[in-house]
Amino acid sequence: MKKYNVAILGATGAVGREMLKVLEERRFPINTLKALASARSAGTKLPFCGGEVVVEEATEQSFEGMDIVLGAAQADLARKMAPAIVKSGAVFVDNSSAFRMCDDVPLIVPEINPEDVRKHHGIISNPNCSTIITLTAVAALNRLSPIRTMVASTYQAVSGAGAGGLAELEKQVRDYAAGQPLTASTFPYQIAFNVIPQIGSDSGNGYTSEEMKMQNEGRKIMHLPELKVTCTCVRVPVLRSHSISVTLVTDRKISVDEARAAIAAAPGCRLVDDLDAKAYPMPLDTSDQDIVFVGRIRDDLTNENGLSLWCCGDQIRKGAATNAIQIAELLAD
């Protein structure tokens, strides 16, 4: 089996650390592994395969000899380093938003559009975490009949904002229990015992940048250029795993039983749908694993061709790290 020289750009962040964990779990064929981060993180030791990998400062010379670079850094650093990565001959699998909507950059969810990976010119983008989870849940329905519209509400865990989000919720809960004042810095308001209906910046049309990703990325991934999506993104006081409520309309009527059978058989999905038994997807059950749980499947009462469902998935794993490594596995095939 061929082995690959792999670098992780942004290795010390939450997604970068998870990439190391997933590479080890999935036994990706690695020859040489580089962990790259900022100068202040250089020298940090990260666990990998029973040993340690020492973090190096990321420079434009870091990518020579690499085959695959997994991006877990912010968009500005991804844009800065992309030319050097491509020039080195490596393929850049980037988790940031930097290149997602570029026409010549494939946007990949391996369970949905693996064939698009071969269209790359040195860069492949990982979609937004909520987009990955939602589309993995509904792709089987799109294969039965094209999806025309979706109304989605996301319930996004604090870890989606990085380590600072986790720390802030945990501290606020401790301070609340101790009768201390609650302060906020990562989020604009207290997140403990609250929900915040804004993630991302104003797009100028009343929607946030995060909300527009569901439509714009969904069109590209599912090859549905006319897809229309209304999305509301909400930060909730959950540590890990995003949840999404979706109502979709398809060209033809898909029955509830047909939908359940298709989702149960779909790659990357698990059907958890028994209201009487109180069985449905929840963040606690979907954290630290790679399957998207789907349930609460029912007819939409406002449109005869509509269905409503609820899905949950780990946004750090399937919504980021694991999806990127699945893309790398497609490149290695």
Side-chain angles (χ1 to χ4, degrees):
M1 176 186 291
K2 180 180 177 180
K3 294 188 175 182
Y4 296 84
N5 297 329
V6 178
I8 299 177
L9 179 62
T12 56
V15 173
R17 290 171 184 266
E18 202 71 25
M19 285 176 171
L20 285 168
K21 181 179 176 182
V22 176
L23 283 169
E24 180 175 347
E25 287 177 2
R26 296 176 74 94
R27 299 182 179 180
F28 189 85
I30 292 175
N31 179 43
T32 299
L33 177 66
K34 280 189 179 183
L36 304 172
S38 64
R40 67 178 179 273
S41 296
T44 302
K45 295 179 180 180
L46 301 174
F48 183 69
C49 287
E52 293 177 328
V53 57
V54 179
V55 176
E56 303 174 29
E57 180 183 358
T59 71
E60 293 181 353
Q61 288 71 48
S62 299
F63 311 106
E64 291 301 322
M66 294 296 103
D67 299 306
I68 297 170
V69 177
L70 300 170
Q74 296 297 316
D76 55 350
L77 184 58
R79 292 189 190 97
K80 178 182 177 181
M81 293 297 183
I85 294 170
V86 174
K87 184 179 179 181
S88 76
V91 180
F92 186 20
V93 182
D94 181 35
N95 191 63
S96 83
S97 62
F99 306 104
R100 288 174 185 160
M101 299 316 298
C102 295
D103 290 340
D104 61 345
V105 175
L107 186 64
I108 305 292
V109 179
E111 292 87 349
I112 301 174
N113 60 331
E115 68 282 355
D116 288 352
V117 78
R118 300 302 171 190
K119 300 175 184 178
H120 77 82
H121 300 281
I123 302 174
I124 300 170
S125 275
N126 221 30
N128 172 259
C129 51
S130 292
T131 301
I132 291 173
I133 294 164
T134 304
L135 297 191
T136 300
V138 305
L141 306 182
N142 186 58
R143 286 189 283 269
L144 293 175
S145 180
I147 297 170
R148 294 308 176 198
T149 66
M150 291 200 305
V151 178
S153 294
T154 72
Y155 303 76
Q156 297 185 216
V158 294
S159 52
L166 282 167
E168 187 155 300
L169 174 57
E170 291 171 340
K171 183 177 187 302
Q172 287 178 359
V173 171
R174 288 195 302 269
D175 288 346
Y176 179 86
Q180 299 296 317
L182 275 60
T183 59
S185 57
T186 299
F187 302 113
Y189 301 99
Q190 172 186 325
I191 186 61
F193 318 108
N194 193 25
V195 298
I196 302 172
Q198 179 183 357
I199 302 174
S201 57
D202 187 353
S203 288
N205 59 354
Y207 289 82
T208 69
S209 54
E210 183 83 358
E211 289 162 348
M212 292 307 300
K213 291 172 185 176
M214 190 76 76
Q215 173 174 281
N216 297 338
E217 297 180 16
R219 288 175 171 180
K220 186 173 181 179
I221 295 162
M222 295 197 295
H223 301 162
L224 293 173
E226 304 302 320
L227 176 68
K228 294 181 179 180
V229 179
T230 290
C231 185
T232 302
C233 290
V234 183
R235 188 72 68 190
V236 297
V238 168
L239 293 176
R240 186 158 171 164
S241 255
H242 290 352
S243 305
I244 304 97
S245 170
V246 184
T247 295
L248 55 85
V249 175
T250 49
D251 266 357
R252 70 163 179 85
K253 172 63 180 174
I254 299 173
S255 72
V256 170
D257 286 344
E258 189 180 10
R260 284 177 175 149
I263 288 170
C269 287
R270 178 177 300 166
L271 183 69
V272 183
D273 192 19
D274 189 338
L275 192 58
D276 288 341
K278 297 181 175 59
Y280 25 69
M282 293 184 293
L284 287 176
D285 296 330
T286 53
S287 293
D288 202 28
Q289 56 85 56
D290 296 321
I291 303 298
V292 175
F293 289 20
V294 188
R296 295 302 320 278
I297 302 170
R298 58 205 187 276
D299 285 319
D300 172 20
L301 300 181
T302 69
N303 190 304
E304 63 181 14
N305 280 14
L307 284 170
S308 293
L309 58 82
W310 171 261
C311 60
C312 294
D314 188 316
Q315 87 286 354
I316 300 175
R317 287 187 63 105
K318 180 54 187 168
T322 301
N323 198 79
I325 288 156
Q326 287 178 292
I327 293 170
E329 290 171 344
L330 293 175
L331 293 170
D333 280 349

